[in-house]
Amino acid sequence: MSEEKAIPTPAKHDEDFWNVVMTPVEPAWSEPGEDDTFTMDEKVLEAVRALAERISTRALAYRTAGEPFDAALMAAPDVQLATLRALYEAKRSVERLAESAATVAGRGGASYAQLGAAWGGIKRQSARLKWPHAVVKRSAGESVPLRYAGGAAVIHHDPGVDAWWYTATAADQQEEESEAVHGTSAEAIARATEFLLTHARPTGRDSV
């Protein structure tokens, strides 16, 4: 019986942290169970109901009148229509977040076959059509654009020192320009992604 390969877990201050982090682990995930998917449904429904109550005409009338919006009112057909509209926005959010995740994974070295497997097992060609810019073929010195968490970054190569650096503008309009100290484009992408995520747009504002 084969033993499972140990997965290294270095702390962020360790010298080899980024090299380890940017080396893909196989398998990348375990299949979610029924409890996992049920919990996901609950979390999505919680977010959708919150949006439905904000956009529902009936809920607005109750707020204007200073009356509590009883949970029983969710059964009203018009409130369910508002819920359906909120679900559509949830679907758009998922698509945006999926594009970000696919792009970061692809720019970090994942293939379209791997992206397709993660997205429910779609074929490589379908993954390429869905996220045409996620995986790019580039020369060693070519700049790499990246969008994540509502912000954008460009990863550059400095041939003089054979190192990578990045410029980034986050969703909250914070900007950062790193030094040319990253040994690989994958490490620079990881650092830029970390910055964009740290300065993601505050909760309550729409993401781009």
Side-chain angles (χ1 to χ4, degrees):
M1 187 163 98
S2 61
E3 296 184 359
E4 291 187 4
K5 184 178 179 180
I7 298 174
T9 56
K12 189 176 177 182
H13 61 265
D14 291 348
E15 185 177 344
D16 64 343
F17 176 80
W18 286 110
N19 287 333
V20 172
V21 167
M22 298 310 293
T23 301
V25 171
E26 291 290 346
W29 72 90
S30 58
E31 288 298 324
E34 288 187 6
D35 288 346
D36 299 317
T37 55
F38 180 73
T39 300
M40 177 68 77
D41 285 349
E42 286 186 322
K43 295 296 184 181
V44 171
L45 183 58
E46 181 181 338
V48 165
R49 280 183 171 173
L51 176 57
E53 287 190 26
R54 289 201 299 273
I55 66 176
S56 165
T57 304
R58 186 184 296 270
L60 175 60
Y62 270 77
R63 288 195 298 273
T64 302
E67 297 290 338
F69 189 80
D70 192 280
L73 292 167
M74 292 299 296
D78 51 275
V79 176
Q80 284 300 301
L81 286 173
T83 300
L84 190 60
R85 185 64 179 83
L87 282 164
Y88 173 72
E89 289 303 320
K91 176 178 178 291
R92 294 180 65 192
S93 291
V94 167
E95 291 292 338
R96 288 193 295 267
L97 293 171
E99 183 176 5
S100 290
T103 300
V104 172
R107 301 295 166 85
S111 67
Y112 274 116
Q114 290 173 308
L115 297 182
W119 194 247
I122 64 174
K123 293 184 180 298
R124 178 184 58 200
Q125 295 89 337
S126 297
R128 181 181 286 110
L129 288 173
K130 187 171 185 62
W131 303 299
H133 306 296
V135 179
V136 293
K137 293 181 179 179
R138 60 183 185 274
S139 63
E142 186 177 348
S143 295
V144 181
L146 174 69
R147 293 186 64 82
Y148 189 68
V154 180
I155 288 75
H156 311 274
H157 182 252
D158 186 337
V161 293
D162 191 23
W164 294 82
W165 58 287
Y166 67 85
T167 57
T169 302
D172 64 359
Q173 300 307 306
Q174 292 292 313
E175 297 181 351
E176 180 167 273
E177 179 175 326
S178 75
E179 299 292 333
V181 294
H182 307 300
T184 65
S185 60
E187 180 181 335
I189 287 170
R191 295 279 190 162
T193 301
E194 180 185 30
F195 171 76
L196 295 176
L197 186 59
T198 301
H199 293 277
R201 187 167 290 145
T203 302
R205 294 176 61 187
D206 295 332
S207 62
V208 177

